[in-house]
Amino acid sequence: MPPGSVVRPSRTSGSILLAVGLAVAGGTGCGQAPAAIIGERVPDYRAVSLAGESRSLRELRGRVVLLNVWSAWCAPCRAEMPVLEALRRVHDGGDLEIVGLNVDRRGDEGTIDRFVRASRIGYAVWRDPSDSFPGRRPSDGLPASYLIAQDGTLVWARLGALRRDDRELGAAVANALARP
């Protein structure tokens, strides 16, 4: 996608792609972090691992990151977890890092930890009860996925569940991994 592109609905997948947001000139406005825009670097973002450790997208620079925003109450989120796990297995040991970003409210940590263990999720899971990924609003819906290139540039985004036979996702991942 060319830099600055607005994400449009995909006719082939029937999923709605997410326009990640508009940059706010000169500041963050309304207490929000600067927006992530396709073709531009994602502002640094921090969340907490299930073990309670602070994590940052900056730590993952040099790897392609598929950040998937989800909640345990969201049926499409739960349905796409096997797709993400299969993708993780295909790229295990490679340059693709999958991070599930849970946005369930504070106080649900034990429930989320049990849910993740029972779901046999092998990819990293971070928690962000305030749902503060740059440019994302809780009203945007779930699940939402963001593909970030090795240099921290947002290269693809989708609002809606990923499917196992998703050619658009496969092409986006392949293109991101092929970037210098």
Side-chain angles (χ1 to χ4, degrees):
M1 248 182 203
S5 293
V6 174
V7 183
R8 302 273 183 230
S10 168
R11 292 175 196 219
T12 57
S13 70
S15 297
I16 297 175
L17 295 177
L18 173 64
V20 178
L22 301 173
V24 178
T28 60
C30 299
Q32 294 288 331
I37 298 173
I38 290 181
E40 294 186 14
R41 259 203 186 161
V42 174
D44 193 29
Y45 170 74
R46 293 191 157 287
V48 179
S49 73
L50 289 180
E53 301 164 338
S54 179
R55 299 303 311 258
S56 168
L57 284 178
R58 182 171 289 161
E59 298 167 10
L60 301 177
R61 289 266 165 88
R63 303 196 67 185
V64 172
V65 177
L66 178 59
L67 184 75
N68 177 260
V69 184
W70 66 280
S71 178
W73 57 260
C74 168
C77 298
R78 293 189 313 268
E80 75 178 354
M81 287 177 170
V83 174
L84 292 165
E85 182 59 25
L87 190 61
R88 181 198 65 82
R89 277 190 236 114
V90 166
H91 293 279
D92 195 29
D95 286 331
L96 177 66
E97 181 82 24
I98 298 174
V99 176
L101 180 63
N102 177 268
V103 294
D104 284 305
R105 69 180 189 268
R106 279 184 186 15
D108 286 347
E109 291 84 359
T111 301
I112 300 310
D113 189 45
R114 285 187 299 277
F115 176 82
V116 168
R117 277 188 273 125
S119 300
R120 299 178 192 245
I121 296 171
Y123 51 88
V125 175
W126 297 356
R127 298 238 329 116
D128 180 4
S130 61
D131 198 357
S132 63
F133 183 73
R136 184 180 146 65
R137 298 175 311 272
S139 62
D140 288 339
L142 294 173
S145 298
Y146 304 89
L147 189 63
I148 304 164
Q150 293 96 328
D151 64 357
T153 301
L154 181 66
V155 294
W156 182 85
R158 172 171 301 153
L159 175 60
L162 304 173
R163 295 181 328 274
R164 190 170 303 276
D165 61 346
D166 195 325
R167 290 185 181 147
E168 186 179 292
L169 171 62
V173 168
N175 288 338
L177 288 170
R179 287 174 57 127

